[in-house]
Amino acid sequence: MAGNEKKPTISDIARKAGVSIATVSRVLRGSDYPVKSEVRERVTEIARQMEYKPNIFSQMLRGSSSREIGIVAPSITNPFYAQLISAAEQECLKRGYIPFICSSMGEPQLEMNHLDMLEDRCVAGILLSSMGQREGIVKRLNELRIPIMLFDQTLDSYEGDGILFDFYQGAYLSTEYLIQCGHRDIVFCSGPINRYSRRAMYEGYKQALKDYNLGISKKKLIGAISEPDTYGEGEYQLGKALGQMLLERDYLPDAIVTINDITAIGVINHLYSEGVQVPHDISIMGFDDISICEMVTPPLSTIHQPAFDTGKLAAKYLLDKIEGQITEPVRITTKPVLVERKSVRKIHRKVRR
């Protein structure tokens, strides 16, 4: 279609097909309203020939009910959350819903404010990756009269719908892999352990040490008391701060388990700037498996968390609930997968697969 041509409308299609505008609208919306099959085929073919593109934003405004889906996540700059949100966004648009994306930027109060705002907008549903740090967050979610689906993280004592991840097992696998590679002095590097995912990871890390008869002590927790303000970029700065904390110890540990890939990359770069080489001097495991893990030096060994699948499934099940296609509770936990690259030194070659 030439750039200066008028875009075809439903009225144009109706005129050419010899039917009413209402009939065209019903056909193109996939309505269950009875329309003869030959009419349905004729309208669909004419719409295709005219290269008609429905404006789902206009459809939403004309509709009697909201077509907006609120998506609330801690960050839009961290590649993991960007992929999570993108997958959810694609699923919403594919099914005729408008994603309304909100970043809490790691601020629990801002997360609560977003929930209030989305409730005021009367959105059709909410996808939430919660910080889980605000007192009363579970009570607030239970009060919402809007379908809500947690994704990525759950909340302590929350029993609602969610597409979640086994953070405990992910950290266990990460720690176990380091042990199998011959490492014994393994530390856990994290920001404040004040949300569900970090608590679960720390417990998984400790359990792996216990199962292999390795010592557990608070000295093996390298943790920053606070994190920089900007959540996505702040995770990289957190990694650099944790790297400095490691250098201030009397000696370096054999290996590090970190809370996510961005933090791990921050640790690696800070250590490198001080002459410490990964994995020659120290091994490190990331967590998430974002795309840049293969682009950094050394390529980062990590735990794969299926961000795209999580975002897509969460949106799908939320929309199914909104449309009444399912009524039973949704509680799915995806499983971690170990990804071996080059940031872990294998002291012992015999590594159990």
Side-chain angles (χ1 to χ4, degrees):
M1 184 185 299
N4 58 354
E5 288 185 15
K6 180 183 176 183
K7 292 182 179 180
T9 65
I10 287 180
S11 298
D12 298 328
I13 297 170
R15 192 179 305 111
K16 190 169 183 178
V19 298
S20 69
I21 292 174
T23 296
V24 174
S25 178
R26 288 163 183 155
V27 170
L28 297 182
R29 286 190 293 110
S31 169
D32 293 333
Y33 191 90
V35 177
K36 291 182 179 180
S37 59
E38 59 268 26
V39 173
R40 196 175 286 276
E41 291 174 6
R42 184 165 73 251
V43 169
T44 302
E45 177 60 21
I46 290 171
R48 186 190 67 79
Q49 292 175 358
M50 297 180 74
E51 299 182 11
Y52 172 75
K53 303 293 183 184
N55 187 329
I56 61 174
F57 292 91
S58 297
Q59 290 174 359
M60 179 195 72
L61 293 172
R62 290 196 301 269
S64 58
S65 60
S66 173
R67 304 290 289 181
E68 284 187 323
I69 299 295
I71 303 177
V72 184
S75 170
I76 58 174
T77 56
N78 183 319
F80 172 81
Y81 287 111
Q83 190 175 16
L84 192 76
I85 293 167
S86 177
E89 180 182 27
Q90 289 177 40
E91 185 68 16
C92 289
L93 292 173
K94 184 176 76 173
R95 293 178 58 171
Y97 290 82
I98 311 302
F100 193 94
I101 299 169
C102 307
S103 172
S104 64
M105 296 185 284
E107 293 291 339
Q109 182 57 55
L110 183 55
E111 177 181 291
M112 294 285 273
N113 293 346
H114 284 322
L115 293 175
D116 292 341
M117 178 269 296
L118 292 170
E119 185 177 39
D120 290 343
R121 289 181 69 93
C122 297
V123 296
I126 297 174
L127 291 167
L128 172 64
S129 179
S130 177
M131 296 290 296
Q133 297 176 34
R134 184 73 181 180
E135 185 178 350
I137 179 65
V138 173
K139 182 175 182 292
R140 182 71 182 94
L141 295 183
N142 290 332
E143 290 172 349
L144 287 173
R145 297 181 180 180
I146 299 170
I148 186 163
M149 181 77 63
L150 297 190
F151 65 157
D152 175 42
Q153 300 206 43
T154 188
L155 296 167
D156 293 324
S157 76
Y158 183 71
E159 298 179 355
D161 297 327
I163 308 297
L164 313 170
F165 183 72
D166 194 339
F167 290 96
Y168 176 95
Q169 184 63 20
Y172 187 100
L173 283 177
S174 180
T175 309
E176 182 181 54
Y177 175 65
L178 291 171
I179 295 169
Q180 292 171 354
C181 288
H183 301 295
R184 292 296 177 265
D185 184 9
I186 304 168
V187 300
F188 186 84
C189 282
S190 174
I193 303 181
N194 53 5
R195 67 191 74 162
Y196 172 84
S197 60
R198 292 182 182 179
R199 288 194 295 272
M201 289 176 68
Y202 188 45
E203 291 303 315
Y205 155 82
K206 289 192 296 182
Q207 188 61 50
L209 293 182
K210 181 179 179 181
D211 288 349
Y212 283 85
N213 297 315
L214 297 178
I216 302 171
S217 71
K218 290 185 179 180
K219 292 181 179 180
K220 290 189 175 182
L221 172 60
I222 310 301
I225 297 174
S226 61
E227 296 179 40
D229 293 335
T230 307
Y231 192 78
E233 182 180 323
E235 291 175 309
Y236 177 76
Q237 298 301 326
L238 169 65
K240 293 179 69 175
L242 292 169
Q244 182 57 37
M245 291 178 188
L246 287 167
L247 294 173
E248 291 171 356
R249 290 163 56 99
D250 293 336
Y251 58 89
L252 284 175
D254 297 337
I256 309 167
V257 173
T258 60
I259 52 171
N260 59 49
D261 295 332
I262 296 293
T263 299
I265 292 168
V267 172
I268 290 172
N269 286 350
H270 185 76
L271 293 178
Y272 179 79
S273 70
E274 298 294 331
V276 178
Q277 302 291 320
V278 175
H280 182 270
D281 299 317
I282 189 170
S283 293
I284 186 166
M285 286 290 298
F287 203 103
D288 286 340
D289 194 26
I290 59 178
S291 59
I292 61 173
C293 287
E294 295 183 291
M295 307 175 196
V296 297
T297 302
L300 185 62
S301 298
T302 188
I303 296 297
H304 177 72
Q305 186 177 356
F308 188 87
D309 291 344
T310 298
K312 182 178 180 180
L313 278 176
K316 175 190 181 303
Y317 280 111
L318 177 64
L319 300 183
D320 286 349
K321 284 231 163 185
I322 292 169
E323 295 172 358
Q325 297 182 37
I326 56 173
T327 56
E328 65 273 13
V330 175
R331 199 77 173 179
I332 298 172
T333 301
T334 60
K335 298 300 180 183
V337 176
L338 176 70
V339 180
E340 297 182 55
R341 294 195 178 97
K342 302 293 184 181
S343 64
V344 174
R345 180 185 175 201
K346 294 181 180 179
I347 300 172
H348 299 308
R349 289 295 177 182
K350 293 181 180 180
V351 179
R352 179 164 59 85
R353 301 287 179 178

